[in-house]
Amino acid sequence: PLYIACFNGHLEIARLLLEASAAVGQAEKRGATPLFIASHNGHLECARLLLAAGAAVDQAEEQGATPLLIACQKGHLEVARLLRDARADINPPSHDATTPRSMACHSGHLDVARLLLEAGAAVSQASNNGSTPLFAASHFGHLEVAKLLSSYGASRAAVPPFSTPEELANSQGHADIAAWLVASRGWTPL
């Protein structure tokens, strides 16, 4: 019941269930906890309630995704900020080495990516397939994210099996990103 209340963002029902001793960390069959699903769906107040009740901030589901990773993937800035402030690990890799920052960059969530970078997230940490956040931003056409990553000194080196970020952007039809990356070679990060 607590999982369902948090899935739907029913704060008062979640509060009543916790007062009646519902298990704050009870996971469903795939390992997702009430905090994970509240983070997934952007239910900030439910997430805040669960953390106050002792929910484990970094408890991952079966694929290794944490509440912070899913909040970042979905672009829920305020939930991500809450989890960061609750001392969530900002660089926890999932089973394929995907991190919250890489998911934010992949999905084009500029403000979430900025939040994580300001908190010290690794700027060029690659996933198991070698893709870095700059590669993801270049591949999916997120120019402002590519600029942000570059301002933090993201590596522009070619990563096998990929080419350089500008070649990747060009091959995906993102001429604006490719042109910016070429024009800004030698640019000094802030």
Side-chain angles (χ1 to χ4, degrees), residues 6 40 54 60 93-94 133 155:
C6 293
H40 180 279
S94 65
S155 173

Side-chain angles (χ1 to χ4, degrees), residues 16-154:
L16 288 171
L17 290 166
L18 288 168
E19 288 172 2
S21 299
V24 71
Q26 177 85 35
E28 50 85 74
K29 66 182 178 181
R30 290 179 304 277
T33 63
L35 180 58
F36 182 90
I37 200 62
S39 300
H40 180 279
N41 291 337
H43 298 309
L44 176 64
E45 293 309 316
C46 283
R48 189 182 320 278
L49 174 70
L50 293 164
L51 288 167
V57 71
D58 287 324
Q59 187 172 341
E61 49 86 64
E62 69 181 6
Q63 297 298 312
T66 63
L68 181 59
L69 186 142
I70 199 66
C72 293
Q73 179 182 1
K74 298 295 181 177
H76 301 306
L77 176 63
E78 293 309 315
V79 174
R81 187 182 322 279
L82 173 72
L83 295 167
R84 181 213 54 197
D85 292 348
R87 306 251 188 264
D89 184 352
I90 59 170
N91 289 312
S94 65
H95 293 322
D96 67 355
T98 299
T99 64
R101 187 231 43 268
S102 63
M103 288 310 303
C105 295
H106 175 276
S107 301
H109 300 304
L110 178 65
D111 291 336
V112 176
R114 181 177 290 114
L115 173 81
L116 296 169
L117 289 166
E118 288 171 354
V123 70
S124 294
Q125 184 177 344
S127 65
N128 286 350
N129 72 1
S131 177
T132 65
L134 183 57
F135 275 84
S138 299
H139 183 268
F140 292 102
H142 305 304
L143 177 59
E144 294 307 313
V145 174
K147 289 179 178 180
L148 174 69
L149 292 165
S150 293
S151 76
Y152 277 82

